[in-house]
């Protein structure tokens, strides 16, 4: 006899997906990625809550509106997806540099790619052959993985606490970026990652470019005060 999916069970799966797939990963990235996420956490809270709520609602509704004969399969599939997301955002987060603001060392981390593929295969096999086990232990599995994902934030939190923080009254937002003064404006054009020595060679080889940029001011020795484009601008 196939186990039935109640609203409580469906809601639990939705909460699990939102926690391990959105809430905890964002907290992990936020605590470690101070160069790109410079706003206070409270600024991101509304969007985070809305996105998490949408995931919970969608996952819950999907489990309840599909035909009864398909509900167990759908629930098992969502559980497997949650387990995979937990592994990606807890065990493998930052392995290739994407989420940790590091360099991508593909060859050095190739074995982790194989582990991820193996995990995906194991989960598919589990959904197909051990669905009843997943249902019987679903609550315990989700609880253990959720707690471990939360515990995984301890390291980034300690790292964040160890940083020297300044009590400043400014931060990076897009407010007023596209506003122009009715009287006078100074527009600065920055060609991101464009090498100044290359531009100098082009102008030296073809002086007509000087006429093209007549009226502009060229700063060949300009330096940035930040390592990231958005913050430096």
């Amino acid at each position: 006899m196939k186990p039935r999916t109640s609203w409580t069970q469906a809601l639990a799966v939705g909460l699990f997906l939102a926690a391990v797939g959105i809430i905890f990963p964002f907290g992990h990235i936020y605590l470690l990625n101070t160069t790109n996420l410079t706003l206070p956490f409270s600024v991101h809270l509304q969007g985070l809550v809305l996105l998490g709520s949408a995931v919970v609602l969608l996952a819950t509704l999907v489990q309840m509106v599909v035909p009864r004969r398909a509900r167990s399969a759908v629930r098992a599939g969502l559980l497997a997806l949650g387990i995979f997301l937990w592994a990606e955002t807890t065990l493998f987060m930052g392995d290739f540099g994407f989420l940790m603001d590091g360099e991508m060392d593909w060859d050095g981390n190739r074995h982790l790619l194989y582990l991820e593929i193996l995990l995906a295969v194991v989960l598919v096999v589990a959904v197909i052959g051990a669905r009843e086990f997943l249902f019987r232990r679903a609550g315990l599995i989700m609880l253990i993985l959720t707690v471990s994902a939360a515990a995984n934030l301890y390291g980034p939190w300690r790292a964040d606490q160890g940083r020297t923080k300044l009590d400043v009254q400014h931060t990076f937002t897009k407010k007023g970026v596209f506003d122009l003064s009715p009287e006078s404006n100074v527009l600065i054009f920055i060609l991101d990652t464009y090498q100044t020595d290359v531009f100098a060679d082009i102008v030296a080889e073809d002086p007509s470019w000087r006429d093209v940029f007549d009226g502009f001011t060229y700063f060949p020795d300009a330096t940035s005060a930040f390592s990231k484009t958005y913050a430096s601008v």
Side-chain angles (χ1 to χ4, degrees), residues 200-223:
D201 291 340
I202 293 174
V203 174
E205 294 176 2
D206 186 358
S208 63
W209 281 103
R210 296 181 180 275
D211 297 330
V212 173
F213 291 104
D214 183 40
F216 287 82
T217 301
Y218 172 51
F219 298 92
D221 298 322
T223 59

Side-chain angles (χ1 to χ4, degrees), residues 4 11 22 27 32 34 47 53 60 63 72 83 88 108 112 125-126 140 162 169 182 188 190 195-196 203 209 225:
R4 296 180 178 179
L11 180 62
I22 296 176
L32 289 180
T34 57
S53 300
T60 303
Q63 294 175 79
S72 61
I83 296 171
E88 288 293 320
L112 295 171
V125 172
L140 180 61
Q169 300 299 320
I188 302 176
I190 301 176
Q195 295 178 229
T196 184
V203 174
W209 281 103

